């Protein structure tokens, strides 16, 4: 990564993170577009948003570019990704970042607001097993205001279609292998670069001490997410977008 006159080039880190994520999800921008379409449809163009498990702030970045009068609270535990997020949005009073563990029963006490128009998350909650995820959904039922919205775009596997799943996975991984041969960085390679950066080396060591190498959570179906959200106090919930492997589930309070 390059250095600016004032320090680390955080925008370059953002772009490299996006490219790494797009190696896994070529349709990543499409799910963000649909997510923000539905934010506008349900709560309007000036929402107070909780960017849940925000990482580098990918959702916040797209939110504020589309809705300049929105505000965002990003919450995460990863010190390296939060360093990139805080560096990127430094000086933007529309954005606040909070370090918190979503498995902590009191994590919501760290937030600057007690309710939000929209809670948004993408490709993050598969780090949780079904039981703590259901507990989290119950907490979100108390954070989203009446008439507000929650959306989760993530890997959601329908175990009733094993042949479809196997065919999709084989095709997707073949495309990933071709992109990697052409120079794309995968997850492990991206983190190896971060570990050598003088600014991110320390936070990267910390994040692996917290999380280990990767998720060991669950990837239940979109129907499971929708029914669990209904049981958590939301009035309606269903998938509003899907790829062959992922879904975007929307719930309205």
């Amino acid at each position: 990564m390059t250095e600016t006159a004032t320090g680390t080039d955080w925008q370059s880190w953002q772009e490299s993170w996006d490219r790494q994520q797009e190696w896994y999800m070529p349709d990543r921008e499409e799910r963000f577009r649909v997510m923000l379409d539905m934010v506008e449809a349900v709560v309007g163009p000036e929402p107070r948003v909780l960017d849940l498990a925000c990482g580098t702030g990918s959702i916040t970045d797209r939110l504020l570019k589309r809705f300049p009068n929105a505000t965002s609270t990003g919450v995460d535990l990863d010190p390296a990704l939060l360093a990139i997020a805080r560096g990127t949005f430094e000086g933007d009073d529309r954005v606040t970042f909070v370090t918190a563990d979503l498995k902590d029963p009191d994590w919501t006490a760290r937030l600057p607001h007690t309710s939000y128009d929209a809670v948004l998350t993408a490709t993050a909650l598969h780090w949780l097993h079904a039981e703590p995820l259901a507990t989290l959904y119950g907490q979100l039922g108390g954070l989203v205001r009446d008439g507000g919205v929650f959306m989760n775009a993530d890997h959601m596997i329908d175990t009733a279609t094993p042949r479809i799943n196997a065919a999709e996975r084989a095709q997707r991984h073949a495309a990933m292998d071709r992109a990697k041969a052409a120079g794309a960085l995968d997850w492990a390679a991206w983190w190896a670069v971060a570990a050598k950066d003088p600014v991110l080396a320390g936070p990267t060591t910390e994040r692996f001490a917290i999380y280990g190498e990767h998720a060991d959570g669950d990837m239940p179906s979109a129907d499971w997410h929708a029914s669990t959200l209904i049981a958590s106090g939301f009035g309606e919930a269903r998938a509003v977008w899907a790829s062959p492997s992922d879904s975007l589930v929307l719930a309205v309070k």
Side-chain angles (χ1 to χ4, degrees):
M1 295 301 152
T2 61
E3 298 291 315
T4 66
T6 56
T8 299
D9 184 351
W10 296 115
Q11 189 58 46
S12 290
W13 279 109
Q14 285 283 1
E15 291 168 1
S16 72
W17 177 259
D18 282 344
R19 288 193 298 270
Q20 180 259 126
Q21 290 287 285
E22 287 162 1
W23 180 70
Y24 295 94
M25 298 166 288
D27 49 21
R28 186 168 177 255
E29 292 302 324
E30 177 68 6
R31 71 189 69 194
F32 287 147
R33 182 192 66 78
V34 174
M35 179 179 281
L36 296 181
D37 281 351
M38 296 310 299
V39 167
E40 186 172 20
V42 179
V43 299
E46 299 184 8
R48 174 192 289 169
V49 170
L50 177 63
D51 186 350
L52 188 71
C54 64
T56 65
S58 296
I59 291 175
T60 293
D61 175 61
R62 288 149 181 84
L63 172 80
L64 297 179
K65 286 176 178 174
R66 178 159 170 177
F67 306 126
N69 292 324
T71 60
S72 178
T73 302
V75 59
D76 208 303
L77 187 61
D78 189 312
L81 298 186
L82 279 174
I84 296 171
R86 289 186 167 112
T88 300
F89 295 96
E90 185 177 5
D92 191 333
D93 60 9
R94 298 171 298 175
V95 185
T96 303
F97 289 105
V98 174
T99 300
D101 184 350
L102 298 182
K103 294 179 181 179
D104 179 350
D106 298 319
W107 72 269
T108 59
R110 295 176 175 265
L111 301 176
H113 307 290
T114 57
S115 70
Y116 288 85
D117 301 312
V119 177
L120 309 177
T121 189
T123 328
L125 299 189
H126 64 273
W127 284 73
L128 298 177
H129 289 290
E131 185 175 344
L133 180 56
T135 298
L136 177 64
Y137 280 175
Q139 293 170 312
L140 297 181
L143 273 178
V144 176
R145 68 161 172 84
D146 289 346
V149 64
F150 167 73
M151 278 182 271
N152 178 17
D154 209 345
H155 312 311
M156 299 182 187
I157 306 302
D158 188 340
T159 57
T161 58
R163 288 184 295 169
I164 295 172
N165 299 348
E168 182 281 325
R169 188 179 188 280
Q171 191 276 341
R172 174 165 44 89
H173 278 262
M176 290 165 65
D177 288 344
R178 291 192 295 272
K180 190 172 181 180
L185 292 182
D186 64 10
W187 170 270
W190 189 91
W191 281 109
V193 174
K196 295 177 182 177
D197 182 83
V199 175
L200 290 178
T204 297
T205 298
E206 292 175 32
R207 71 88 53 204
F208 278 100
I210 294 169
Y211 290 109
E213 287 299 321
H214 210 283
D216 63 351
D218 298 327
M219 289 180 280
S221 69
D223 287 342
W224 180 93
H225 286 272
S227 63
T228 303
L229 287 161
I230 293 291
S232 300
F234 289 87
E236 299 177 7
R238 69 171 177 86
V240 293
W241 174 90
S243 74
S245 60
D246 292 10
S247 294
L248 169 60
V249 170
L250 180 155
V252 177
K253 183 74 177 293

